[in-house]
Amino acid sequence: TAASKSANYEINIDDIKLAGIKGNYTDKVGGQSFSMDIGNSDIGNTNVLLASQKIDIGSLDLDKTFAAVSINDNGLATPVANTALANAGTVPVPTSPGWKVSLKKMNIAGTAVDFDNKAMKPVDEGMDYNHLSLKGINIRGTDIAYTATRSVADIQQLGFSEKSGFTVRTFRSKIVFDSMQTELSGFDINTGNSHIARYVSLNYKSLDDLTNSIGSLKVKADIPESIIGYRDILYFVPGLAKTAPFSKDPDGSARLAASLDGLVKDLTLNS
């Protein structure tokens, strides 16, 4: 059901259910395409305030869904990894507060996402950021909120496997991301090869520092005894495969217990 109030431009939606929905979009000029196959989705208790640009969603359930994105069919664009790095700190500062979106409860299961940058040739080893394929995506989270300047989430579970072989079995954390801080508290990640936990935060004067002034980032971390699998490192830096200790025992691991506090350029490590 839906109701509107002319003075406040308010819309209330009790429930939206979608099942067996397929859609495709193609931009031949821009060389982009998008397709989605929704198995089951349920969006419950949504409230929209148009005048104040606010959306509150009670729950989101998504199951057995597949999405695929393809870009640069004309082969003219730069690599995704390079573009993202170059633009990470150049997001325009909004001139208005913008939309505020909150989601009380989210549950995603049995979902897959493919990304294909046709401008780039696939790589043979490690994570290929231009040709990603995520399967078995499952996410459970609560108290998720987004604004133009701040995002927060309480993730109880996140898991997936990528075609390179990299897998996240479990991930949980309370996450805060804004224009001056990124914080993961109570985090715990288990890949099957690695198990890392507890607390990490980054403080910066602006988002530009994330790419243009890494040395000025303030890092604080509390990591009790954790395991870092060499195989996981090789997924992201395959060039290390020919250097020790990775060349001798690629399925080995290193144990780490440490606390970090200070600027990246002058970091204090207590182990």
Side-chain angles (χ1 to χ4, degrees), residues 15-31:
D15 200 27
I16 301 176
K17 292 180 182 290
L18 297 174
I21 304 296
K22 296 183 180 181
N24 295 277
Y25 169 79
T26 300
D27 178 1
K28 293 183 179 180
V29 176

Side-chain angles (χ1 to χ4, degrees), residues 31-35 68-73 114-118:
Q32 302 177 8
S33 64
F34 172 79
S35 65
V69 179
S70 177
I71 65 172
N72 304 322
D73 291 339
D114 284 357
F115 172 78
D116 190 17
N117 183 352
K118 295 293 184 63

Side-chain angles (χ1 to χ4, degrees), residues 29-149:
V29 176
Q32 302 177 8
S33 64
F34 172 79
S35 65
M36 176 170 281
D37 184 350
I38 299 176
N40 297 286
S41 69
D42 188 352
I43 303 173
N45 300 318
T46 299
N47 175 262
V48 182
L49 294 172
L50 296 178
S52 57
Q53 295 183 300
K54 185 178 181 181
I55 301 175
D56 294 322
I57 303 172
S59 62
L60 168 64
D61 292 283
L62 187 66
D63 184 32
K64 298 177 181 177
T65 293
F66 172 74
V69 179
S70 177
I71 65 172
N72 304 322
D73 291 339
N74 51 22
L76 299 178
T78 55
V80 168
N82 293 344
T83 302
L85 184 62
N87 295 335
T90 59
V91 179
V93 176
T95 56
S96 64
W99 282 90
K100 300 177 182 178
V101 181
S102 69
L103 174 58
K104 188 65 177 176
K105 182 180 180 182
M106 175 176 63
N107 186 24
I108 297 175
T111 295
V113 176
D114 284 357
F115 172 78
D116 190 17
N117 183 352
K118 295 293 184 63
M120 305 303 299
K121 293 182 179 180
V123 299
D124 296 328
E125 298 179 333
M127 188 79 69
D128 186 347
Y129 298 102
N130 291 289
H131 306 279
L132 294 170
S133 182
L134 304 178
K135 308 295 184 184
I137 300 172
N138 63 92
I139 308 172
R140 293 195 311 273
T142 58
D143 300 324
I144 301 164
Y146 164 83
T147 70
T149 58

Side-chain angles (χ1 to χ4, degrees), residues 140-172:
R140 293 195 311 273
T142 58
D143 300 324
I144 301 164
Y146 164 83
T147 70
T149 58
R150 181 178 173 86
S151 299
V152 299
D154 186 351
I155 303 298
Q156 286 93 46
Q157 164 61 9
L158 183 150
F160 64 86
S161 61
E162 207 279 326
K163 66 179 176 61
S164 62
F166 179 71
T167 298
V168 174
R169 292 183 178 179
T170 60
F171 172 84
R172 60 179 179 267

